[in-house]
């Protein structure tokens, strides 16, 4: 289970198993999003799932035939064997209690469970069921067995399920969460070396911070959090224990890590200081405010006056503070968002903040960086290594960064 794919496996080909939870309709959107992301998706449905969503929907969205019946193989080779050899990842979304039970106990009585047992690469499941079923000791035990074998889970989440219960976990993770997890697992699968090392405790910060001017206004920056979230997702997909300290973003919380939400630079500083002593690797990707209003107004500032002067005070430099406290074996990585003399400024920060690596990006460029899906960065290490990456998706960039900093660490 979860071996690295061989070089012959096309990196962007997955099988998507769809089982008979009412959340099967979300799998149609997931298929569409994955195909748009350039991933070849082969859908395998259980017979019951076809009663909820017609296979034609998946065939049209995936542009590939949908497998339901084991006995209608288009090839001399059984479909479950030939498909298992072609895919880099098996995703099952939604995954019912019935599928988890059969998979945990080696039952292979339809196309999907047969494929699951024929596939030796990574597997990601997104369970969806009534919260009472998710809580049942039999399901808990099956989840434990599968986790122990290296199966990755995304969700389920709390929230409304079809039968109306809202307070407990049971609902399938959002399509955005599952898509991001799929992309992270594929990025890891493509770089077999990411899996190589020991399991690390990784602390990642992401997003902007907000500093209050008055009770209704704040100062912030254009960081979307996507780069930090990608780092957290990829590190988790590689099997590391990840803590994500996140400023306010509009992104769905990754299900694969422990998330601490913060708002201000001071809250982020406290969260990082609390988590840092037990981490092996800190990646400080957040765009932390350097200044905050020295005396935020207690009430809303009125526009009566012609102008407004606000006095600012410096926030603490989190990275510099914790890098100074680090013990033997801890790796500290910073980011440098620059608008000019990108590498020169980044090198200055690497030395001044006593970092192991700095990841520099030019935030003037409109096609990479803030807000978008892509980034183009150069990494510089204290030991003198310099790695310039091409323009890549943030998930791919995250995988390259992790590969470099964990190989060195
Ligand atoms: N950083 C931090 N605490 C701050 C400010 C920045 O930990 N109060 C971290 C960032 O998360 C990033 C690195 O320091 O990893 C560099 O951040 P950047 O904004 O590029 O540089 P600054 O140190 O703020 O310097 P300047 O604003 O002068 O470029």
């Amino acid at each position: 289970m979860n071996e690295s794919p061989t070089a012959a496996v096309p990196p962007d080909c997955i099988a998507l198993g769809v089982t008979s939870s009412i959340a099967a309709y979300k799998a149609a959107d997931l298929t569409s999003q994955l195909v748009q992301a350039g991933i070849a998706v082969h859908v395998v449905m259980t017979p019951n799932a076809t009663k909820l969503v017609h296979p034609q929907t998946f065939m049209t969205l995936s542009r590939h035939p949908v497998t339901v019946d084991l006995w209608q193989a288009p090839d001399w080779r059984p479909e479950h064997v030939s498909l298992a050899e072609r895919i880099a990842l098996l995703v099952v979304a939604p995954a019912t209690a019935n599928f988890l039970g059969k998979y945990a106990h080696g039952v292979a009585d339809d196309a999907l469970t047969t494929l699951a047992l024929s596939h030796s690469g990574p597997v990601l499941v997104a369970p969806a069921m009534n919260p009472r079923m998710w809580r049942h000791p039999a399901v808990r035990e099956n989840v434990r067995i599968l986790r122990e074998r290296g199966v990755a889970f995304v969700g389920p989440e709390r929230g409304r399920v079809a039968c109306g219960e809202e307070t407990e976990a049971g609902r399938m993770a959002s399509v955005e969460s599952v898509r991001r997890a799929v992309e992270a697992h594929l990025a890891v699968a493509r770089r077999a070396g990411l899996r190589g090392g020991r399991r690390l405790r990784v602390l990642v910060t992401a997003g902007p911070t907000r500093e209050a001017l008055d009770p209704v206004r704040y100062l912030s920056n254009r960081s979307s959090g996507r780069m930090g979230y990608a780092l957290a997702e990829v590190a988790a997909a590689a099997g590391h224990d990840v803590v994500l300290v996140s400023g306010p973003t509009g992104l769905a919380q990754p299900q694969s890590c422990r998330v601490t939400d913060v708002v201000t630079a001071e809250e982020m500083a406290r969260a990082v200081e609390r988590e840092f002593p037990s981490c092996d690797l800190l990646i400080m990707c957040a765009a932390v405010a350097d200044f905050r209003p020295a005396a935020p107004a207690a009430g809303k500032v009125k526009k009566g006056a012609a102008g407004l002067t606000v006095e600012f005070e410096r926030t603490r430099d989190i990275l510099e503070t914790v890098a100074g406290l680090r013990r033997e074996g801890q790796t500290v990585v910073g980011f440098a968002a620059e608008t000019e003399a990108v590498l020169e400024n980044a090198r200055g920060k690497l030395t001044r903040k006593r970092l192991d690596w700095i990841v520099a990006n030019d935030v003037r460029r409109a096609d990479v960086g803030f807000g978008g899906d892509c980034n183009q960065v150069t990494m510089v290490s204290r030991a003198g290594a310099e790695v310039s990456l091409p323009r890549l998706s943030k998930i791919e960039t995250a995988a390259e960064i992790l590969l470099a900093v964990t190989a060195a660490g």
Side-chain angles (χ1 to χ4, degrees):
M1 181 73 48
N2 281 7
E3 290 155 13
S4 307
T6 60
V9 175
D12 58 350
C13 179
I14 70 163
L16 172 62
V18 180
T19 69
S20 63
S21 152
I22 196 71
Y25 77 93
K26 294 187 190 172
D29 189 14
L30 177 65
T31 305
S32 169
Q33 291 195 23
L34 293 171
V35 169
Q36 285 176 56
I39 298 165
V41 182
H42 291 267
V43 177
V44 181
M45 299 178 79
T46 61
N48 280 342
T50 66
K51 295 177 187 159
L52 295 167
V53 183
H54 198 281
Q56 182 70 43
T57 304
F58 289 105
M59 187 161 92
T60 307
L61 292 171
S62 69
R63 300 171 191 168
H64 286 291
V66 172
T67 308
V68 182
D69 188 348
L70 267 184
W71 308 106
Q72 285 186 350
D75 191 5
W76 65 267
R77 277 194 311 183
E79 175 70 354
H80 61 280
V81 177
S82 63
L83 193 53
E85 283 168 6
R86 279 182 282 141
I87 58 172
L89 177 69
L90 168 64
V91 183
V92 183
T96 55
N98 187 45
F99 169 78
L100 298 178
K102 289 201 283 188
Y103 187 30
H105 296 282
V107 176
D109 64 350
D110 58 18
L112 178 59
T113 45
T114 313
L115 169 65
L117 297 195
S118 312
H119 169 67
S120 58
V123 180
L124 176 69
V125 297
M129 66 196 73
N130 174 283
R132 268 172 288 148
M133 293 172 78
W134 178 245
R135 248 189 357 243
H136 192 284
V139 176
R140 310 293 344 123
E141 179 61 9
N142 291 334
V143 170
R144 186 194 63 74
I145 291 171
L146 294 173
R147 281 210 166 105
E148 222 169 79
R149 287 185 198 147
V151 172
F153 281 73
V154 51
E157 312 180 324
R158 289 196 173 86
R160 203 184 135 67
V161 288
C163 37
E165 296 177 43
E166 297 190 11
T167 49
E168 285 189 63
R171 188 172 70 168
M172 186 173 117
S174 69
V175 171
E176 181 192 338
S177 299
V178 182
R179 177 183 46 80
R180 278 204 326 238
V182 169
E183 289 174 351
H185 279 269
L186 278 176
V188 169
R190 251 177 247 142
R191 294 163 186 81
L194 249 185
R195 282 183 184 280
R198 69 192 167 93
R199 189 184 173 112
L200 302 174
R201 255 186 71 97
V202 181
L203 174 58
V204 179
T205 67
T209 59
R210 285 181 187 166
E211 309 302 326
L213 270 165
D214 70 14
V216 293
R217 303 183 182 95
Y218 57 78
L219 276 133
S220 191
N221 59 64
R222 292 176 52 210
S223 168
S224 67
R226 284 177 191 226
M227 190 64 238
Y229 276 50
L231 282 159
E233 300 254 17
V234 173
H240 299 304
D241 266 331
V242 184
V243 178
L244 173 65
V245 176
S246 175
T249 71
L251 303 174
Q253 279 204 350
Q255 308 276 319
S256 51
C257 11
R258 180 153 64 78
V259 184
T260 299
D261 286 315
V262 297
V263 177
T264 64
E266 184 53 30
E267 284 172 16
M268 185 167 280
R270 276 191 248 125
V272 171
E273 280 164 1
R274 195 171 55 240
E275 300 290 346
F276 182 70
S278 57
C279 82
D280 303 298
L281 169 63
L282 165 66
I283 307 182
M284 192 78 203
C285 188
V288 187
D290 291 324
F291 294 95
R292 68 175 153 242
K300 186 181 170 201
V301 174
K302 292 296 190 186
K303 66 169 170 283
L308 178 67
T309 306
V310 179
E311 194 179 321
F312 288 92
E313 64 185 13
R314 279 282 295 271
T315 58
R316 288 193 279 158
D317 192 307
I318 306 170
L319 195 53
E320 199 167 343
T321 312
V322 295
L325 300 171
R326 75 151 151 328
R327 57 175 164 75
E328 179 81 26
Q330 283 183 305
T331 304
V332 178
V333 182
F335 268 69
E338 305 294 345
T339 53
E340 60 237 318
V342 177
L343 273 185
E344 197 184 314
N345 281 331
R347 282 208 180 86
K349 287 174 191 173
L350 176 78
T351 318
R352 196 169 60 249
K353 302 196 189 199
R354 282 173 289 169
L355 310 177
D356 298 294
W357 285 87
I358 189 116
V359 182
N361 62 344
D362 183 344
V363 288
R364 269 175 322 183
R365 285 180 52 177
D367 59 333
V368 293
F370 286 140
D373 281 327
C374 290
N375 213 347
Q376 181 161 12
V377 302
T378 298
M379 289 178 272
V380 183
S381 83
R382 184 162 52 148
E386 189 178 310
V387 184
S388 283
L389 297 179
R391 181 173 179 270
L392 295 170
S393 74
K394 286 184 175 170
I395 290 275
E396 297 294 330
T397 304
E400 295 295 343
I401 292 170
L402 280 161
L403 201 55
V405 305
T406 54

